[in-house]
Amino acid sequence: MLEVKLHDVGEGMTEGEVLHYLVKVGDSVMTDQPLVEVQTDKMVAELTSPCSGIVKEIRIDEGEVVQVGTSLLYIESNESVRMEQKLHVEMNPVSETIGKSTNNNEEKALPITYKRVLATPYTRKIARDNNINIEDVRATDPSGRVTEEDVFRFLKGIQSTEESIKDEKQSVFSQEIPDEIPFKGIRKKIAEKMTKSLFTIPHVTHFDEVNMTNLLELKEQMKASGEPIRIPAFLIKALVISLKEFPIFNAELDEENSRILLKKNYHIGIATNTESGLMVPVIHHVDKKSIKQINKEVKGLTERAIAGKLQPFEMQNSTFTVSNVGPLGSTGATPIINYPETALIAFHKTKKQPIVNSHDEIVIGHIMTFSMAFDHRVADGATAVEFTNRFAGLIEQPHKLMLELI
């Protein structure tokens, strides 16, 4: 018998919640077949079978939170079954002969095969909730991944246009809205972390604005030259340059040893809104990367976060976090720091408004508001203003940003 235990699927993981079993007692499974979905403090992960065999026992119920190392289920491997059958045949040769079929035309039983379906846990949940076997759903994505749109199309029973798929999704979700929403999984983990941050760190929020006119012109010039770069890549690069000059905001307070740790690495977390909740994928060593590289990583990490494909290492060791809520229409907020970091900055909506230029002329400019929350135990308001002034200066005069590139 082989035990399938809850193992550490992410650095520092100590416990996980059993969300859903993908098999039941008596099922035949193949090596690497997903067995169970578990919720960690950062993601939903699938635990796979270590061997081919038969599920003999499930020990932990769905919804339970257990420690790493806990046995979740038992599998009797095919090797063990073959050894038992061989022993049985050797001890009972006559029984084996009698048990053989004498009908030469009788079809032989085919071995059970398992089809590994690429799909996020969220897509699998939609299929389960609608009593759909996800193996029956045809994937339209070139990668072979079954998407939630594929599930809704299968549920409809016909090939639909994108608009009808959208209507179908809204219709299904409107029928599924319960009177009570379970407070568990990623949502509960987010709540626990936000509560710890807010009740541990004395937050101060500094609001300011920055003239984006010149940077937007540079963006259009690069797009015209065939090198499109999104605005967040410029903002992140300007932040890292500013953090190097004000390392107190790239720090962590170690209360137990009465010290402030100034981090040598610059790992920027990107707060990302997903259907499962807020995820924070991380761009590591941003100070060593070009704006072009940062742009590519932001795009890739965001897409994987939304698709539920982030790996554990892609969500670890952030030293400073940014939240780009401007595209959603946000005009201001008081963000909660991503504990145990010292600060977080949120970029809000950019809008056209009259401004006075250097020649005392009234012109139309593009102004973005932003808010920076910081730990008042570690830094003071004056330092925060100096930090954001430096950041704004690099954005308002992009040629200065170019001078700072390595």
Side-chain angles (χ1 to χ4, degrees):
M1 251 348 152
L2 290 179
E3 294 179 90
V4 178
K5 297 182 177 182
L6 176 62
H7 58 269
D8 185 356
V9 296
E11 183 179 342
M13 172 184 167
T14 59
E15 65 179 19
E17 177 186 349
V18 178
L19 291 183
H20 178 73
Y21 285 101
L22 305 174
V23 295
K24 59 183 182 298
V25 174
D27 282 356
S28 295
V29 297
M30 304 294 289
T31 302
D32 292 331
Q33 176 178 341
L35 301 174
V36 57
E37 292 175 353
V38 295
Q39 171 71 63
T40 73
D41 60 346
K42 294 182 178 179
M43 63 187 296
V44 175
E46 291 179 347
L47 302 186
T48 58
S49 176
C51 65
S52 298
I54 299 173
V55 179
K56 303 299 289 184
E57 181 184 357
I58 293 178
R59 302 197 61 186
I60 304 298
D61 294 332
E62 293 179 356
E64 285 194 40
V65 178
V66 296
Q67 299 295 311
V68 169
T70 301
S71 297
L72 303 180
L73 51 85
Y74 287 97
I75 295 177
E76 184 175 22
S77 69
N78 286 340
E79 186 63 31
S80 299
V81 173
R82 284 195 292 270
M83 290 297 293
E84 290 182 7
Q85 291 175 341
K86 181 179 178 182
L87 181 61
H88 178 75
V89 170
E90 290 176 349
M91 296 180 65
N92 302 278
V94 178
S95 299
E96 179 201 15
T97 303
I98 295 174
K100 289 183 179 179
S101 171
T102 58
N103 186 353
N104 294 330
N105 295 325
E106 182 179 349
E107 294 184 1
K108 294 182 179 180
L110 295 175
I112 298 174
T113 58
Y114 169 69
K115 177 185 175 184
R116 179 67 184 268
V117 177
L118 296 176
T120 66
Y122 179 72
T123 301
R124 295 179 187 276
K125 181 180 184 301
I126 295 175
R128 288 197 303 271
D129 290 346
N130 289 279
N131 297 316
I132 295 174
N133 183 351
I134 200 166
E135 293 185 14
D136 296 334
V137 180
R138 183 174 67 86
T140 57
D141 190 276
S143 68
R145 180 173 63 89
V146 175
T147 65
E148 58 196 86
E149 286 82 4
D150 295 330
V151 175
F152 285 114
R153 186 182 296 110
F154 184 88
L155 183 64
K156 180 76 174 178
I158 59 173
Q159 295 295 325
S160 306
T161 62
E162 290 185 4
E163 187 62 32
S164 62
I165 291 173
K166 181 179 179 181
D167 294 340
E168 181 66 23
K169 287 173 66 176
Q170 293 174 343
S171 173
V172 173
F173 278 122
S174 65
Q175 297 170 10
E176 291 182 348
I177 296 177
D179 293 329
E180 295 182 357
I181 300 175
F183 185 55
K184 58 193 296 186
I186 290 179
R187 174 52 54 195
K188 186 174 182 179
K189 294 297 182 181
I190 291 172
E192 291 173 353
K193 189 166 186 178
M194 293 299 99
T195 300
K196 181 176 183 180
S197 176
L198 195 58
F199 282 88
T200 302
I201 300 174
H203 283 58
V204 174
T205 304
H206 165 58
F207 293 88
D208 210 334
E209 57 185 29
V210 56
N211 188 344
M212 300 285 288
T213 305
N214 292 334
L215 183 59
L216 289 173
E217 289 178 359
L218 175 61
K219 173 180 176 291
E220 291 303 316
Q221 291 171 6
M222 297 192 69
K223 182 179 179 180
S225 69
E227 291 287 348
I229 300 293
R230 297 180 179 182
I231 290 297
F234 293 104
L235 300 179
I236 291 170
K237 193 63 177 181
L239 274 174
V240 171
I241 293 171
S242 303
L243 285 172
K244 283 191 169 185
E245 297 180 20
F246 296 86
I248 196 66
F249 295 112
N250 197 62
E252 178 182 330
L253 177 60
D254 180 6
E255 287 189 276
E256 185 176 345
N257 296 299
S258 300
R259 58 182 181 174
I260 297 173
L261 304 175
L262 302 179
K263 300 299 184 69
K264 299 294 185 181
N265 295 317
Y266 297 85
H267 305 323
I268 306 300
I270 312 295
T272 306
N273 183 43
T274 73
E275 291 175 330
S276 299
L278 184 67
M279 298 289 187
V280 186
V282 181
I283 305 178
H284 297 96
H285 303 291
V286 180
D287 57 314
K288 300 177 182 177
K289 294 177 179 177
S290 67
I291 293 177
K292 185 176 181 179
Q293 288 175 304
I294 295 170
N295 182 69
K296 182 178 179 180
E297 287 201 32
V298 170
K299 183 175 183 293
L301 287 169
T302 302
E303 290 176 349
R304 289 197 293 280
I306 293 173
K309 289 185 173 182
L310 287 174
Q311 298 298 313
F313 73 89
E314 293 179 312
M315 295 185 287
Q316 295 171 355
N317 302 323
S318 61
T319 60
F320 188 97
T321 297
V322 301
S323 176
N324 185 25
V325 289
L328 300 177
S330 169
T331 58
T334 54
I336 298 177
I337 297 168
N338 187 17
Y339 182 88
E341 297 170 17
T342 294
L344 179 151
I345 196 165
F347 303 123
H348 304 290
K349 184 165 59 177
T350 299
K351 57 184 179 181
K352 293 181 180 180
Q353 64 184 54
I355 59 173
V356 179
N357 64 17
S358 58
H359 302 292
D360 291 335
E361 300 169 333
I362 298 178
V363 296
I364 300 299
H366 295 79
I367 306 300
M368 181 185 75
T369 57
F370 63 89
S371 53
M372 175 184 171
F374 62 93
D375 188 340
H376 211 341
R377 300 172 301 175
V378 176
D380 298 319
T383 310
V385 173
E386 291 174 352
F387 170 75
T388 55
N389 283 346
R390 174 56 169 154
F391 164 75
L394 292 170
I395 295 302
E396 292 179 348
Q397 302 182 63
H399 64 277
K400 291 187 176 181
L401 178 61
M402 301 299 113
L403 293 175
E404 299 291 343
L405 301 184
I406 297 174

